[in-house]
Amino acid sequence: MAETKAGTTALNEAIASKRPPKTRFEKLMSRPESGVILAAVLVYVFFAVAAPNFFSDRVASNILLSSATLGIIAVGVATLMIAGQFDLSVGSVYGLSSGVVILCINAGVPGWLALPIVMVFGLAVGTINGYLVTKLQIHSLIITLGGLMFYRGVLLAVTQGFPIRLKDVDPFLKVLDFSWMGIPGPFFWFLALVLIFAFILGSTRFGGWLYATGGSPEAARCMGVAASRVQITAFAITSLLACIAGYVSVARFSSVDSLRGQGMELEVVLAVVIGGASLNGGYGSIIGAALGVLIIGMIQQGLILIGISVYWYQAGIGILLILAAIVNQRVRARHIS
């Protein structure tokens, strides 16, 4: 057995030595976010030419505002997908957390205290998802699809199908809803999370554990990584950020309805896949996911400006997801080779 492994290793090294060294351009293009940078430029140029007023400050502010909430959730989903798992319940958790915030504040809980309450709720939801997936060996798509339906049903029961609103203006929430130099406040929270998690994934031991676990949980365990614990933590982070996004949405809208966040899970997955993350885990970046979110924001605003019916948006999302998956598969295959 040892001789066989040694022979295989020697053969792989011999094959690798025959390959020409990668150029700087090839190394650059092998990065997860390389393709999405080009895609973002092309989308921006297209709508700048085809859509009137695309350069206006108002359109730019709308793009940043619509990208902020989706982006906060995308940071968590990207982290989880790199760890090799999925969460389809984030849209429902986002909607239900908004309802929890409003119910707390209407019951007399200060806005600043409602934030840690909803964060604990998110950590609990994610930890339960992660435990069911890793300890009971149930596929994450099944668990989180069930979560999607359950949390949406709870939100429907709470709202009775009608919007619920804050009874009074909360001072803390009012402070969060600001704009600076035309940049909406929620975008700053999104940007801060992108920088924090880009650092975590790129420069910390936990980031390395996430990539190793997503690449091969068994190999990660052989290296001493607690793969199950890493994935449970990633699930907890994902739901936590979905709840933070729900809190930010309350600061922005002061209300929630039973459809809040419906379909958002598909947009988030699309943004992360466009950003270079692999559906098989172990590959991707937070910066790429953030750029994917901005692309979706540009497409939303651009379609409105050029007069295309919003009913075509869902069809476009489906086509983009398929194309992104194909492109990412090719890029990753080239990177591995």
Side-chain angles (χ1 to χ4, degrees), residues 30-212:
S30 66
R31 293 185 59 83
E33 64 271 14
S34 58
V36 71
I37 294 175
L38 178 60
V41 172
L42 291 176
V43 169
Y44 182 81
V45 170
F46 171 78
F47 284 115
V49 173
N53 302 320
F54 193 73
F55 284 110
S56 68
D57 294 339
R58 182 176 180 180
V59 172
S61 179
N62 288 339
I63 292 173
L64 297 180
L65 186 58
S66 63
S67 301
T69 303
L70 185 69
I72 292 172
I73 302 175
V75 170
V77 171
T79 302
L80 183 60
M81 286 181 64
I82 289 171
Q85 298 291 350
F86 295 88
D87 190 344
L88 295 179
S89 68
V90 288
S92 297
V93 172
Y94 160 71
L96 181 57
S97 64
S98 301
V100 170
V101 172
I102 291 179
L103 291 177
C104 287
I105 295 177
N106 285 347
V109 177
W112 61 267
L113 184 56
L115 177 58
I117 290 175
V118 79
M119 290 174 67
V120 170
F121 170 71
L123 288 173
V125 168
T127 301
I128 291 171
N129 286 341
Y131 182 85
L132 292 175
V133 170
T134 60
K135 301 301 183 181
L136 302 184
Q137 297 297 307
I138 304 176
H139 200 284
S140 59
L141 291 180
I142 300 300
I143 294 298
T144 58
L145 182 60
L148 180 154
M149 300 177 67
F150 173 75
Y151 297 121
R152 180 64 56 187
V154 173
L155 181 60
L156 278 167
V158 169
T159 63
Q160 296 293 307
F162 296 96
I164 55 175
R165 305 180 182 277
L166 290 176
K167 296 178 181 178
D168 300 301
V169 176
D170 183 84
F172 187 77
L173 289 177
K174 189 176 181 180
V175 170
L176 295 181
D177 187 24
F178 70 94
S179 179
W180 182 72
M181 295 183 63
I183 302 175
F187 186 78
F188 288 103
W189 316 132
F190 165 46
L191 183 60
L193 287 169
V194 168
L195 295 176
I196 292 170
F197 277 85
F199 173 78
I200 291 174
L201 266 67
S203 304
T204 68
R205 180 179 298 180
F206 179 70
W209 291 347
L210 284 168
Y211 282 103

